[in-house]
Amino acid sequence: MKLVVHVNEARDLPAMDLNGSSDPYVKLQLGRQRAKTKVVKKNLNPSWNEEFSFRVGDLKEELTVCVLDEDKYFTDDFLGQVKVPLSKVLDAEKLSLGTQWYQLQPKNKKAKIKECGEICITIFLSQHSSEETPVVPQCVSNDLLSSSDKSIELTREVMSNGDREASSVRRTDDPEPAKEDKSNGPSVVTRLYKLFAGKDVEDELPSSTDPDSLEDIREASTKPEASENLADDACLNMSFDELLRTYESQHQGGEMPANLPGGVLIDQSYAVAPAELNALIFSPSSNFWQSLAEIQGTTGFQSEPWRLENDGESLKRVVTYTKAATKLVKAVKATEEQTYLKADGKMYSVLASVSTPDVPYGSYFRTEILFCIMPGPELLSEEQSSRFVISWRTNFLQSTMMKGMIENGTRQGLKDSYAQFADLLSQKVKLVDSNDISSNKEEVLAYLQPEQESDLKLAVRFFGNFTVISSFLVAMYVLIHILLANPNLIQGLEFSGLDLPDSIGEVVVCGVIILQGQRVLNLVARYLQARKQRGSDHGIKAQGDGWLLTIALIEGANLAAVDSTGYSDPYVVFSCNGKSKTSSIKFQTLEPQWNEIFEFDAMDDPPSVLDVEVYDFDGPFDEVTSLGHAEVNFLRSDLSELADIWIPLQGKLAQAFQSKLHLRIFLNNTKGPNVVKEYLDKMEKEVGQKINVRSPQTNSAFQKIFNLPPEEFLINDFTCHLKRRLLTQGRLFLSPRIIGFYTNLFGHKTKFFFLWEDIDDIQVVPPSLASMGSPCLIIILRRGKGTDAKHGAKTLDEDGKLRFHFQSFVSFNVANRTIMALWKSRSLSPEQKVQLVEEDSETDTLEREDSGAFLGIEDAKFSEVFSSAIPVNINSLMEVFGEGPLEQTVMEKVGCVDYSIQPWESVKPDVYQRQIHYKFDKSLSSYGGEVTSTQQKSPLPDRNGWLIEEVMALQGVPFGDYFNLHLRYQIEDLAPKLRASNVQVSLGIAWLKSTKHQKRVTKNVMSNSKARLEQMFGEVEKQLLPTK
């Protein structure tokens, strides 16, 4: 007995692809038997006309017909389904439902698409098989649905070759019908046979008492899995290499899939052949995943064997495990289906689809991870190497408002997990070191020889076009006409020597000839200029020692045509660290061949970015047309990858034509390990502070945090707060090329960095109550820069610039001076640096202290401005800092308006702190202005008095944002010798910005502060002495 299903066609299917179409196919399943139709490309009304046969084993089963849209690399999209119970076919007339249109139903009630279209199928039950196709051994999975939406390939026909009822029934030669005993009715098997065999063969039915016949029928009804078991056994007996070779035989050619949009988790090169790396990670005999599970605390790790499906079209396996619990998430059971997308012996690609239904909203999404293994860079040892890239994305099966939270949580979890993956892999396989790469410029670039173009060839390229040829023919035609024509009579306004056009037609012809002649003259001028511009910076050797950048410009492809001739005259300009190199001009071509080498003079600072601009040459005085541009970021690129790379160009023209350049880029340090010490020595002079060389372990940890190349090293780091909606405490890291922030609070990591060259301005905001009495450092990036660090910015201003706010530095001035020095050394032009040096030479050098005091107060140079013995005991005198009526009265007397104070708060044992805010009276400052002050109080070491330190930030006064005032009050008790207190006040100015008026401002502040302090303590005596 078998169920025959003829899949005819479908109509009105939903469009799932971006092109407004779908690639539909049909999956059928009856029990554990499955089949699949061919795929009809780009059709919403497909026609299949395919027939399938299924062995009937249980009449309670139902036929499931699913229509899906094929996706080449990722999850196939569900279009609709219909289910037909076998009992419905059994009850139908002649055991056939005939040809009917069935409405396709969505997968569930929450599905977005409700109208799924219709499918036309023919279904009937039959005992005899007109087409009996033997089943070849193949691996067929026993699960209808896996953990991924990627469809399981189904077998075309699932039939058992030797298990049909007809073969198990023995026909008799006796024409007399068998007699039946009424007391012993026919068995269930007998009734089924009579039902499907019909009346004509009823007489041939064996007796129910014939044990041999009944046994044959029972055996026939219990063997629907025979072919599947044979297929599974065939796969289990094949080794991993044999399975791969079988898969490779059907998947020759094709491109590697692109990285998934979620991001890249690993991009490294390893000193091992691609096939060996593939076997290490995915071979069943490898213990790599078991070792990783032990490191990560994963339990219950089980891996099924690899299986070939759909006649070798698909190679898959299923892995199950339980992820260890974290502080935020409990232990989670995961099912991971790994599927090969490509395997040809040199390149391998595996897509892993991870299902975690136990997590919140786990049924709404699946995480897809793409492993790509491809040949790596050439090594000096001539051994093979591999480049290994892992990328990811979140595939949402249903829409949810928690999409952003799910993606962020997945991203963080994958980064942590695959950081351990990379560490373990580096222990198993050696990482490719930049020193191992065959990057010897003399050897690699020796074959590059620029094409030498002769004057004749250049002239042919310039003048061998329709414009010049047509102009030449017109000129010859006019010349012959002049020789043949007779002189016209002088008429109208003409006179001897002046021949004017005699009609409108002649005026038009003259204008056309003039314009054509002008175009030819322009071509001649461009040709003459081109002869001068054929040279370039090619072959000019670099000078000096340091960071040596070498670029080989090989060729260009698909450049945009901007000339009227349908071609362009492209040339390339490379810019790095304020220096530029220009290539030669390739005339009248869209596929230029340069083969030129450019060397930048050795740079003291390691380069961060190489800017590439491609222009069209239009003459020395015409505005150039950009054909495209690109940026090579040395911090985000692997030097081995840059050794031979095609770079896509950006820009409207470049993107429209998909333009790209072929480059070979090499970056070497000719100074060796001394480059770090020399760079730090240079920065010490600019910062004015000793900078220690960090240990290799510290530099390695710093590089790992931000995924930086090994040549990047740490200069300094500071504890601070990042201000966004809420303050986030972390560390600010400074290196020669980046400024980065990192924090890890309660397992939630926040990190980002941007280049010094991306900074447009750095501003200092004076301390305020909102900033907890600390100055705030605002770093403003250039428009369009720092998009990768956008999550750390506080605001995006109206000009499209990101603003980052940092505050609460332990020693603000140290951090500010270091950051300003590094920024100036990286981003300012030589002229700007000279100007700053001239301004700085007019001012005194500020002293530095190694120990960071309260709010950086030790960064100012102090001078004593007031000293006096006040005939008041120390307890009474301290009331001027006691938040009481005396303080309010005294401060108002000396010109402090709207004087407001906060109570003292303990910040450390015996250390108290408070904030003060007031405005200047007109008598104190004609400009008005405001003061935000932070005071800190602590006892003297001998407990005989108090030390009050104060940081004052001025707003609304000239140059108020250029400096902070630092005051130090030292009040000692002179008892028991005298009933008095000794008061000493020192004043220091911490400059935040440089100005040539620094001396004048310092003199003015000192004199006014001295007068104000004398007035203040004089008023204290007046208020306190009369009460004694």
Side-chain angles (χ1 to χ4, degrees):
M1 291 179 294
K2 68 176 181 178
L3 178 71
V4 180
V5 182
H6 190 95
V7 182
N8 300 307
E9 58 182 322
R11 62 190 179 192
D12 302 329
L13 297 179
M16 305 302 292
D17 297 339
L18 296 178
N19 57 14
S21 185
S22 294
D23 303 326
Y25 68 93
V26 180
K27 293 196 311 183
L28 303 97
Q29 178 164 0
L30 181 66
R32 300 175 65 179
Q33 308 169 64
R34 274 156 291 175
K36 171 187 171 184
T37 69
K38 64 184 179 182
V39 178
V40 179
K41 296 291 186 180
K42 299 179 181 179
N43 200 325
L44 300 181
N45 300 286
S47 177
W48 292 283
N49 289 324
E50 296 185 46
E51 187 171 290
F52 303 90
S53 299
F54 298 90
R55 176 167 177 75
V56 176
D58 185 356
L59 294 178
K60 296 181 180 179
E61 293 176 341
E62 62 180 5
L63 173 70
T64 302
V65 181
C66 296
V67 184
L68 298 103
D69 170 51
E70 184 187 51
D71 192 318
K72 185 175 181 181
Y73 294 121
F74 307 116
T75 303
D76 289 352
D77 298 312
F78 181 87
L79 299 181
Q81 68 179 1
V82 62
K83 296 182 179 181
V84 181
L86 278 183
S87 59
K88 184 177 180 181
V89 186
L90 189 63
D91 296 337
E93 185 179 356
K94 296 182 181 180
L95 305 176
S96 173
L97 296 178
T99 302
Q100 295 186 33
W101 284 93
Y102 294 87
Q103 181 69 41
L104 293 171
Q105 302 298 324
K107 182 180 292 187
N108 50 53
K109 296 181 180 180
K110 296 183 180 180
K112 290 184 179 180
I113 301 176
K114 302 297 183 182
E115 299 296 331
C116 301
E118 297 177 296
I119 187 170
C120 180
I121 52 179
T122 303
I123 306 175
F124 61 92
L125 283 165
S126 172
Q127 177 189 2
H128 301 289
S129 176
S130 59
E131 294 179 351
E132 295 191 359
T133 305
V135 178
V136 294
Q138 55 184 327
C139 295
V140 183
S141 174
N142 291 329
D143 300 323
L144 173 62
L145 295 176
S146 68
S147 62
S148 171
D149 277 348
K150 185 71 181 173
S151 303
I152 298 178
E153 303 295 342
L154 306 176
T155 55
R156 190 60 172 271
E157 292 193 12
V158 185
M159 298 171 58
S160 181
N161 193 27
D163 298 328
R164 293 173 171 81
E165 287 81 16
S167 63
S168 64
V169 179
R170 297 179 299 165
R171 298 185 179 273
T172 66
D173 296 331
D174 187 359
E176 294 184 7
K179 296 182 179 181
E180 299 177 358
D181 187 356
K182 292 183 180 181
S183 61
N184 295 323
S187 67
V188 175
V189 176
T190 305
R191 291 180 178 179
L192 282 175
Y193 183 78
K194 289 172 63 178
L195 177 64
F196 287 97
K199 295 181 180 179
D200 295 337
V201 294
E202 183 177 351
D203 295 340
E204 301 177 3
L205 183 65
S207 171
S208 60
T209 61
D210 187 348
D212 295 334
S213 299
L214 293 179
E215 185 64 26
D216 290 341
I217 294 176
R218 290 191 184 99
E219 289 180 2
S221 64
T222 58
K223 296 183 179 179
E225 301 177 7
S227 62
E228 292 187 17
N229 293 335
L230 290 174
D232 289 343
D233 292 341
C235 272
L236 293 175
N237 292 331
M238 297 174 67
S239 67
F240 179 64
D241 293 336
E242 291 173 338
L243 289 171
L244 273 182
R245 282 195 294 270
T246 304
Y247 180 79
E248 290 171 9
S249 64
Q250 302 192 29
H251 293 79
Q252 295 297 327
E255 297 182 354
M256 289 285 285
N259 292 336
L260 298 183
V264 175
L265 300 170
I266 294 178
D267 188 353
Q268 289 283 0
S269 294
Y270 297 90
V272 63
E276 296 178 12
L277 183 59
N278 174 68
L280 172 65
I281 298 175
F282 296 110
S283 174
S285 60
S286 173
N287 63 349
F288 180 83
W289 290 101
Q290 288 83 351
S291 301
L292 182 64
E294 293 177 2
I295 295 174
Q296 297 178 343
T298 301
T299 58
F301 183 88
Q302 293 182 351
S303 175
E304 294 183 4
W306 288 97
R307 297 176 181 272
L308 280 171
E309 298 182 359
N310 197 25
D311 295 333
E313 288 292 328
S314 179
L315 180 59
K316 301 181 179 182
R317 75 170 177 180
V318 176
V319 179
T320 57
Y321 49 85
T322 302
K323 294 287 292 182
T326 65
K327 294 181 179 179
L328 301 178
V329 182
K330 65 177 183 180
V332 176
K333 186 176 182 179
T335 304
E336 180 174 327
E337 183 184 77
Q338 298 175 352
T339 307
Y340 269 92
L341 303 182
K342 182 176 179 62
D344 60 6
K346 294 183 178 179
M347 294 190 290
Y348 301 88
S349 178
V350 177
L351 178 69
S353 182
V354 185
S355 173
T356 52
D358 296 337
V359 302
Y361 299 93
S363 60
Y364 283 63
F365 71 95
R366 290 193 179 121
T367 303
E368 294 179 348
I369 305 166
L370 182 64
F371 302 82
C372 292
I373 302 174
M374 60 204 81
E378 296 180 3
L379 303 181
L380 291 173
S381 59
E382 299 184 356
E383 296 178 353
Q384 294 188 48
S385 67
S386 303
R387 183 187 172 200
F388 187 33
V389 181
I390 302 178
S391 57
W392 72 280
R393 77 166 182 176
T394 302
N395 182 18
F396 284 91
L397 310 178
Q398 301 180 38
S399 61
T400 172
M401 296 178 61
M402 308 302 291
K403 181 177 180 180
M405 186 188 74
I406 292 172
E407 286 184 330
N408 291 334
T410 304
R411 179 185 296 108
Q412 190 60 52
L414 287 175
K415 285 185 177 180
D416 296 341
S417 177
Y418 279 89
Q420 296 172 321
F421 181 102
D423 290 341
L424 177 61
L425 187 58
S426 62
Q427 297 173 16
K428 304 276 186 179
V429 183
K430 178 185 176 184
L431 280 169
V432 172
D433 189 3
S434 58
N435 296 326
D436 298 331
I437 301 173
S438 178
S439 58
N440 188 315
K441 295 188 292 294
E442 287 73 16
E443 296 178 4
V444 176
L445 305 179
Y447 73 95
L448 294 180
Q449 294 296 330
E451 181 183 359
Q452 299 296 333
E453 194 171 34
S454 64
D455 291 343
L456 178 60
K457 189 174 181 180
L458 182 63
V460 170
R461 291 170 65 86
F462 257 84
F463 301 123
N465 54 63
F466 176 78
T467 300
V468 175
I469 295 174
S470 61
S471 299
F472 176 76
L473 294 177
V474 170
M476 294 300 298
Y477 183 85
V478 172
L479 181 61
I480 294 173
H481 168 74
I482 292 174
L483 295 176
L484 297 178
N486 294 322
N488 293 332
L489 297 176
I490 298 176
Q491 55 185 350
L493 298 178
E494 297 176 344
F495 53 85
S496 180
L498 178 62
D499 188 8
L500 297 176
D502 298 332
S503 65
I504 297 298
E506 290 185 2
V507 172
V508 173
V509 171
C510 291
V512 172
I513 293 174
I514 292 173
L515 292 176
Q516 197 77 351
Q518 183 184 13
R519 294 182 67 184
V520 173
L521 290 176
N522 287 338
L523 283 174
V524 172
R526 290 183 62 195
Y527 168 73
L528 296 176
Q529 184 67 24
R531 291 187 61 196
K532 300 179 181 179
Q533 296 289 334
R534 278 185 300 179
S536 69
D537 294 323
H538 165 70
I540 300 177
K541 293 296 182 180
Q543 304 292 326
D545 290 329
W547 295 96
L548 184 62
L549 176 62
T550 304
I551 305 165
L553 173 60
I554 312 298
E555 59 185 320
N558 304 326
L559 298 187
V562 296
D563 293 347
S564 59
T565 59
Y567 294 97
S568 297
D569 304 323
Y571 67 97
V572 184
V573 177
F574 300 98
S575 302
C576 184
N577 276 16
K579 302 175 184 178
S580 298
K581 296 290 182 181
T582 305
S583 76
S584 63
I585 302 170
K586 297 300 176 181
F587 296 97
Q588 300 299 292
T589 180
L590 301 180
E591 307 284 337
Q593 295 283 336
W594 278 284
N595 289 335
E596 297 179 354
I597 302 173
F598 307 94
E599 289 189 358
F600 284 80
D601 287 342
M603 296 167 277
D604 294 332
D605 300 337
S608 304
V609 173
L610 172 67
D611 291 315
V612 183
E613 289 279 357
V614 183
Y615 295 107
D616 174 65
F617 175 76
D618 287 324
F621 305 109
D622 294 335
E623 184 177 354
V624 297
T625 302
S626 175
L627 301 180
H629 61 88
E631 180 181 276
V632 179
N633 191 320
F634 293 107
L635 289 163
R636 300 185 185 276
S637 302
D638 189 351
L639 290 181
S640 62
E641 180 182 339
L642 296 177
D644 192 356
I645 186 173
W646 280 92
I647 298 180
L649 299 179
Q650 303 298 318
K652 293 182 179 179
L653 289 175
Q655 291 178 329
F657 287 85
Q658 296 184 346
S659 305
K660 54 185 178 180
L661 286 181
H662 186 191
L663 304 177
R664 303 198 74 171
I665 303 173
F666 306 90
L667 181 63
N668 303 98
N669 170 26
T670 60
K671 287 186 177 180
N674 293 330
V675 68
V676 176
K677 184 67 172 62
E678 293 181 6
Y679 186 87
L680 293 180
D681 290 342
K682 183 185 73 171
M683 295 311 304
E684 284 179 358
K685 297 177 182 178
E686 298 191 28
V687 175
Q689 180 189 14
K690 177 68 176 177
I691 300 177
N692 298 320
V693 179
R694 300 301 179 98
S695 66
Q697 293 79 8
T698 302
N699 281 322
S700 177
F702 164 65
Q703 295 160 6
K704 186 176 180 180
I705 288 175
F706 298 105
N707 297 321
L708 299 174
E711 63 268 16
E712 196 69 8
F713 57 90
L714 182 62
I715 294 177
N716 209 340
D717 60 306
F718 302 93
T719 300
C720 66
H721 284 87
L722 173 67
K723 187 175 182 181
R724 295 179 292 182
R725 291 184 179 179
L726 298 175
L727 289 177
T728 304
Q729 185 176 1
R731 296 193 72 80
L732 195 65
F733 295 87
L734 311 179
S735 75
R737 293 184 285 186
I738 72 158
I739 176 171
F741 180 84
Y742 174 80
T743 183
N744 185 356
L745 298 177
F746 307 109
H748 180 71
K749 297 179 181 179
T750 300
K751 64 178 179 180
F752 59 84
F753 72 86
F754 42 82
L755 304 178
W756 292 108
E757 291 89 334
D758 293 342
I759 299 177
D760 184 56
D761 190 20
I762 297 179
Q763 299 176 357
V764 177
V765 177
S768 62
L769 296 180
S771 64
M772 300 184 298
S774 167
C776 185
L777 196 68
I778 301 178
I779 298 179
I780 306 172
L781 302 189
R782 303 181 192 276
R783 182 184 178 92
K785 298 294 185 179
T787 53
D788 293 340
K790 186 177 180 179
H791 59 281
K794 187 177 189 297
T795 57
L796 179 68
D797 63 19
E798 61 276 4
D799 296 328
K801 299 178 180 179
L802 294 174
R803 291 172 170 259
F804 297 82
H805 292 228
F806 301 98
Q807 65 183 50
S808 303
F809 291 90
V810 174
S811 181
F812 175 80
N813 275 16
V814 177
N816 180 45
R817 226 180 349 256
T818 306
I819 292 171
M820 293 297 292
L822 287 168
W823 174 51
K824 291 172 184 177
S825 68
R826 293 291 305 188
S827 59
L828 299 184
S829 64
E831 293 78 10
Q832 292 172 316
K833 292 179 182 179
V834 171
Q835 182 180 357
L836 285 174
V837 171
E838 291 177 350
E839 290 182 359
D840 290 343
S841 63
E842 298 176 3
T843 63
D844 294 331
T845 303
L846 300 179
E847 291 186 0
R848 289 282 302 111
E849 298 289 343
D850 289 337
S851 60
F854 159 67
L855 292 176
I857 202 166
E858 293 294 338
D859 298 328
K861 184 179 180 180
F862 285 88
S863 300
E864 187 175 293
V865 292
F866 179 81
S867 180
S868 176
I870 309 297
V872 177
N873 66 64
I874 191 169
N875 292 330
S876 300
L877 184 59
M878 285 301 295
E879 291 182 13
V880 76
F881 300 103
E883 309 167 12
L886 176 63
E887 182 177 4
Q888 291 280 354
T889 302
V890 170
M891 300 312 293
E892 289 177 1
K893 291 285 186 179
V894 299
C896 299
V897 183
D898 297 334
Y899 190 81
S900 61
I901 53 178
Q902 292 183 349
W904 291 101
E905 294 181 0
S906 176
V907 293
K908 294 179 182 179
D910 290 335
V911 179
Y912 306 90
Q913 186 173 308
R914 69 173 181 172
Q915 280 77 38
I916 303 172
H917 181 267
Y918 56 90
K919 297 180 180 179
F920 286 131
D921 185 74
K922 291 293 183 180
S923 60
L924 190 61
S925 172
S926 58
Y927 299 98
E930 300 180 9
V931 172
T932 301
S933 173
T934 302
Q935 292 181 342
Q936 194 175 83
K937 179 176 67 172
S938 60
L940 293 175
D942 57 2
R943 300 282 176 172
N944 194 36
W946 292 91
L947 177 67
I948 296 97
E949 295 178 326
E950 181 175 11
V951 178
M952 299 173 60
L954 284 66
Q955 300 99 32
V957 298
F959 297 98
D961 57 339
Y962 277 60
F963 62 90
N964 284 338
L965 292 182
H966 296 250
L967 291 105
R968 180 179 293 157
Y969 302 84
Q970 185 170 327
I971 303 176
E972 293 183 75
D973 189 2
L974 298 180
K977 295 181 179 180
L978 294 174
R979 190 179 179 184
S981 301
N982 184 42
V983 179
Q984 290 182 336
V985 183
S986 300
L987 175 66
I989 302 178
W991 291 94
L992 308 177
K993 298 181 183 179
S994 178
T995 172
K996 57 185 177 182
H997 302 292
Q998 185 170 328
K999 291 184 178 180
R1000 184 176 176 182
V1001 172
T1002 301
K1003 182 179 179 181
N1004 180 268
V1005 170
M1006 287 290 187
S1007 60
N1008 280 274
S1009 298
K1010 183 177 182 180
R1012 178 172 173 269
L1013 289 167
E1014 291 176 351
Q1015 182 182 2
M1016 184 180 78
F1017 285 101
E1019 188 64 31
V1020 170
E1021 290 188 46
K1022 292 180 181 179
Q1023 294 292 327
L1024 293 178
L1025 286 179
T1027 61
K1028 304 301 178 185

